Amino acid sequence: EHPGRMSIKGLILVTLIVISSALIHKALVNSTPATQIYLLPRPVSDPQDQTTTQNMSRAVTRIIRAINTSDGAGVKLKRSIGALVDYIDPFLLLDEFKSDKPGDYISGFPDHPHRGFETVSYMLAGHMEHHDHKGNKGHLTPGSVQWMTAGRGIIHSEMPRQENGLMWGFQLWVNLPAKDKMCPPRYQDIPSEKIPEITRPDGTKIRVIAGEVDGNPGAVTGIATAPTYLDVTVPKGATSVHSLPLGHTAFAYVFEGRGKFGRD
């Protein structure tokens, strides 16, 4: 696969997650405030024409502002994918939870089932504990990620391991191809220190959760949809460019600051 390119310029310091993945079939330029999601479609061109695809800059085709909602036992969060759009293949849901008020998160997400897709939890602040019906458990800490492949089915809970302070993170749901929906459940629990962080000469910082940046592979491996998952901070005035596989649906979720997508 040959890449298209995604670029963002920091109007002020801007922090975002960039996610792309191959699979199952839909595919979201201007000044961009936080808590909005920007969908960048798969380029349409001759896959043999490397000069076209490698130099192509993906433009934003849809902007979705995250809405306030709640889930679990009343956890307050912002939902983008799964709210105003049902899904963006293969992404089924994206939530951001952020609060320093214990009442917004303390009841957590008690036992609930998942089957046929993957859940990805990425923590920026706070502590969560995961338990499932098979006795597996894990502790999510600031900067860590858990990539859970539910496969043929799992019942689990995600509960705060704190009584006060800031709780901040994301949960992404990623569909599985039909041939993998009944695979055995598995987990990749990655502590913060195991996630590679790249600093470019212009000061851009990139945490490589999955995929590859500048020859550096991400911490999460062996995923059916060959995803890219990056946490990117772009300084004011800097421009970050990242190549994405031609067949990938891609989006960026800006959660702090302002930036501008595309060449112009």
Side-chain angles (χ1 to χ4, degrees), residues 39-146:
L39 294 177
L40 301 98
R42 293 170 292 196
V44 178
S45 63
D46 181 353
Q48 301 303 316
D49 184 356
Q50 297 189 29
T51 59
T52 300
T53 56
Q54 288 178 345
N55 294 315
M56 182 180 297
S57 180
R58 295 197 187 195
V60 174
T61 61
R62 186 168 182 182
I63 301 173
I64 299 172
R65 181 177 290 277
I67 65 169
N68 293 317
T69 187
S70 64
D71 209 333
V75 177
K76 293 184 178 180
L77 48 82
K78 291 182 179 293
R79 178 165 292 167
S80 46
I81 300 173
L84 298 179
V85 290
D86 289 338
Y87 74 101
I88 304 156
D89 187 18
F91 307 112
L92 304 173
L93 175 141
L94 178 68
D95 287 341
E96 178 188 7
F97 48 92
K98 180 184 182 182
S99 181
D100 58 5
K101 300 176 182 177
D104 289 349
Y105 61 76
I106 200 67
S107 297
F109 303 89
D111 285 348
H112 57 280
H114 290 304
R115 183 179 180 182
F117 61 94
E118 299 179 294
T119 68
V120 186
S121 301
Y122 178 45
M123 297 294 293
L124 298 181
H127 297 258
M128 293 280 283
E129 193 162 69
H130 158 90
H131 287 269
D132 72 19
H133 73 287
K134 292 183 174 294
N136 300 306
K137 66 178 182 178
H139 181 197
L140 282 162
T141 60
S144 67
V145 64
Q146 181 192 76

Side-chain angles (χ1 to χ4, degrees), residues 177-230:
K179 66 181 179 63
D180 296 314
K181 284 186 175 291
M182 296 301 288
C183 68
R186 71 162 184 155
Y187 302 91
Q188 294 187 62
D189 288 301
I190 313 292
S192 180
E193 63 271 18
K194 297 294 186 181
I195 297 176
E197 183 169 310
I198 311 304
T199 302
R200 287 177 167 168
D202 65 1
T204 296
K205 295 183 184 295
I206 306 174
R207 303 193 80 217
V208 191
I209 296 166
E212 184 176 301
V213 174
D214 300 340
N216 298 281
V220 175
T221 59
I223 302 300
T225 54
T228 293
Y229 193 139
L230 310 176

